[in-house]
């Protein structure tokens, strides 16, 4: 008896008619031990994620749409349509889905090393991420983004790039995940305006948050934030320093203009990495988070820069290099690492 069957779905979005592997609810339930808490990997805006093992022995990750989720059928279908068409070693692979009764689930390849934020923001686990692994992760994310922006069948803007949406396989290779709020662009389209701003505080660019404009350059900004987080081992939002009230971007910028950029480096890396390479990564990150989108490089240029090709221009002031109000500043002095908002996606509705 087959546990997997195929059928065609008409998703209505763009009149797509595509063949997709679907899993029976009984198969998924059996694989996850009836969605046991012991198999729960975590929970996001979409809903809980469970580890499962198919009868054939294949490990899977099951993302189950929660009935009280802020995301819904639109995001579910959006992710299915977009990621089913994408194939790249630095993108998480969608194996299929389950749509049965009220249940809507996405089935992915299982990533045994969880997400990037699980490692880099933990004082103990971050020690397992040496410089070679960190630069490999940065390069992998960059190549995945380049594929999305330029080399895939569609031009995809992710819109919610962050460390928790980068998963790590058994060899610690990065894979971009969570395409529920991603958007596809036409071949000649460079930007779009929206009244529904979605993303995560600390990673969203000023042009996106303030003006509702998203483009490949808003993804580039998010990438720059992640690079600084990977190099420093610190979160952008929730960052604390006794001498100022700046976030991580502001701290890195201050050190840059004072000629001390290497002080942003994670202390666990001290003495174990080539300092010119670290400095170049910080430089590239600051180019990516510049205030104006036209000043930021595209991902093709970033990949070349990371490969050591060419000299780098001087960065201009980053956007959102300070984002605390007095209440946040007061709370950060007593709860330095407690800002959970860095890990949750938000939706901002702007008046028309």
């Amino acid at each position: 008896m087959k546990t997997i069957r195929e059928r065609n779905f008409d998703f209505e979005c763009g009149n797509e008619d595509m063949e997709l592997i679907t899993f029976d609810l009984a198969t998924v339930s059996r694989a996850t031990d009836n969605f046991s808490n012991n198999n729960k990997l975590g929970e996001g805006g979409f809903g809980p994620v469970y580890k499962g093992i198919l009868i054939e022995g294949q490990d899977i990750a099951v993302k189950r749409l929660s009935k009280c989720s802020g995301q819904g059928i639109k995001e579910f279908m959006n992710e299915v349509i977009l990621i089913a068409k994408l194939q790249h070693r630095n993108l998480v692979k969608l194996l299929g889905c389950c749509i049965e009764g009220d249940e809507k689930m996405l089935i992915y390849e299982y990533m045994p090393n969880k997400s990037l934020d699980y490692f880099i923001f933990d004082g103990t686990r971050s020690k397992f991420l040496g410089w070679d692994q960190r630069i490999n992760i940065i390069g992998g994310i960059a190549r995945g983004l380049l594929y999305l922006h330029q080399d895939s069948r569609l031009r995809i803007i992710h819109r919610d790039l962050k460390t928790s949406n980068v998963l790590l396989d058994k060899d610690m290779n990065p894979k971009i995940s969570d395409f529920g709020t991603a958007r596809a662009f036409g071949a000649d389209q460079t930007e779009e305006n929206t009244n529904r701003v979605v993303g995560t505080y600390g990673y969203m660019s000023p042009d996106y948050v303030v003006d509702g404009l998203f483009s490949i350059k808003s993804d580039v900004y998010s990438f720059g934030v992640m690079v600084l987080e990977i190099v420093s081992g610190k979160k952008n939002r929730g960052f604390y320093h006794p001498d100022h009230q700046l976030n991580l971007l502001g701290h890195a910028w201050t050190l840059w203009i004072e000629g001390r950029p290497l002080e942003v480096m994670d202390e666990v890396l001290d003495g174990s990495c080539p300092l010119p390479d670290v400095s170049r990564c910080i430089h590239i990150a600051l180019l990516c988070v510049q205030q104006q989108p036209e000043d930021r490089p595209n991902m093709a240029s970033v990949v070349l820069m990371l490969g050591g090709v060419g000299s780098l221009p001087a960065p201009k002031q980053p956007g959102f290099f300070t984002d605390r109000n007095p209440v946040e500043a007061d709370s950060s002095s007593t709860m330095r690492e407690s800002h959970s908002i860095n890990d949750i996606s938000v939706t901002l509705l702007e008046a028309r």
Side-chain angles (χ1 to χ4, degrees):
M1 176 178 171
K2 293 184 178 180
T3 59
I4 301 175
R5 55 193 173 84
E6 293 186 3
R7 69 184 182 198
N8 289 333
F9 284 101
D10 182 1
F11 283 120
E12 298 181 356
C13 301
N15 293 318
E16 295 283 349
D17 186 36
M18 59 195 303
E19 194 173 75
L20 184 70
I21 294 176
T22 64
F23 291 74
D24 294 319
L25 178 58
T27 299
V28 181
S29 181
R30 182 169 55 247
T32 60
D33 192 19
N34 198 26
F35 306 102
S36 167
N37 280 333
N38 293 331
N39 288 330
K40 190 173 180 180
L41 298 173
E43 188 156 0
F46 186 96
V49 181
Y50 300 88
K51 180 184 177 181
I53 304 177
L54 298 176
I55 291 178
E56 299 86 352
Q58 181 180 6
D59 290 336
I60 59 173
V62 179
K63 188 157 70 169
R64 188 183 192 188
L65 179 64
S66 170
K67 293 179 175 59
C68 60
S69 171
Q71 299 183 35
I73 189 63
K74 181 178 180 181
E75 287 81 0
F76 176 88
M77 294 302 187
N78 187 66
E79 183 151 2
V80 169
I81 291 169
L82 293 185
I83 200 169
K85 294 183 176 182
L86 303 175
Q87 294 291 332
H88 190 273
R89 63 178 299 180
N90 295 117
L91 303 182
V92 68
K93 184 178 180 181
L94 178 67
L95 301 177
C97 68
C98 175
I99 304 176
E100 195 167 317
D102 293 334
E103 293 285 0
K104 297 174 182 64
M105 291 176 277
L106 299 172
I107 290 82
Y108 293 96
E109 59 178 329
Y110 174 65
M111 296 286 104
N113 283 313
K114 301 186 178 182
S115 56
L116 179 56
D117 64 331
Y118 177 77
F119 281 89
I120 62 170
F121 300 138
D122 182 270
T124 300
R125 290 187 288 267
S126 64
K127 296 176 183 177
F128 295 101
L129 282 182
W131 178 250
D132 288 345
Q133 285 178 311
R134 296 191 195 209
I135 194 63
N136 177 67
I137 289 170
I138 290 170
I141 298 170
R143 290 188 294 274
L145 268 183
L146 174 59
Y147 171 79
L148 290 175
H149 290 175
Q150 181 175 304
D151 296 333
S152 67
R153 292 170 57 191
L154 305 170
R155 174 176 287 180
I156 305 295
I157 313 301
H158 189 282
R159 293 207 297 171
D160 198 18
L161 286 166
K162 54 185 176 180
T163 54
S164 60
N165 281 342
V166 174
L167 305 182
L168 301 171
D169 70 10
K170 62 181 178 63
D171 298 315
M172 301 298 284
N173 294 310
K175 301 202 177 192
I176 300 170
S177 69
D178 200 341
F179 288 80
T181 58
R183 292 286 288 272
F185 272 17
D188 300 324
Q189 190 177 6
T190 58
E191 67 178 23
E192 185 172 323
N193 186 273
T194 182
N195 289 316
R196 184 172 180 261
V197 177
V198 295
T200 303
Y201 286 126
Y203 295 95
M204 294 187 289
S205 64
D207 38 298
Y208 185 35
V209 174
V210 176
D211 300 317
L213 287 173
F214 64 92
S215 66
I216 60 173
K217 295 300 184 71
S218 49
D219 274 358
V220 169
Y221 181 95
S222 302
F223 172 79
V225 174
M226 286 196 293
V227 172
L228 286 176
E229 291 185 331
I230 293 168
V231 171
S232 69
K234 300 290 191 299
K235 296 182 181 182
N236 184 32
R237 274 184 71 90
F239 176 81
Y240 172 82
H241 194 280
D243 296 338
H244 57 67
Q245 296 297 323
L246 302 174
N247 59 16
L248 178 61
L249 267 60
H251 179 61
W253 173 247
T254 299
L255 292 174
W256 175 266
I257 61 179
E258 292 177 355
R260 301 181 291 136
L262 289 172
E263 291 184 22
V264 80
M265 182 177 63
D266 193 334
E267 59 185 19
V268 304
L269 296 173
D270 191 26
S272 66
C273 54
L275 297 183
D277 291 353
V278 178
S279 180
R280 187 175 180 88
C281 264
I282 296 169
H283 193 160
I284 294 168
L286 289 173
L287 291 173
C288 290
V289 298
Q290 292 175 106
Q291 174 79 25
Q292 300 301 324
E294 59 267 23
D295 291 330
R296 301 171 206 149
N298 58 33
M299 290 310 301
S301 297
V302 168
V303 169
L304 291 175
M305 291 176 185
L306 288 170
V309 177
S311 58
L312 305 180
K316 299 177 183 178
Q317 180 175 290
F320 290 163
F321 66 93
T322 176
D323 63 354
R324 290 191 184 136
N325 58 39
V327 174
E328 289 178 309
D330 289 343
S331 64
S332 67
S333 65
T334 57
M335 301 175 66
R336 298 181 184 179
E337 296 297 328
S338 65
H339 291 267
S340 61
I341 197 168
N342 191 57
D343 299 319
I344 61 173
S345 297
V346 297
T347 301
L348 305 177
L349 300 180
E350 297 181 354
R352 293 183 179 272

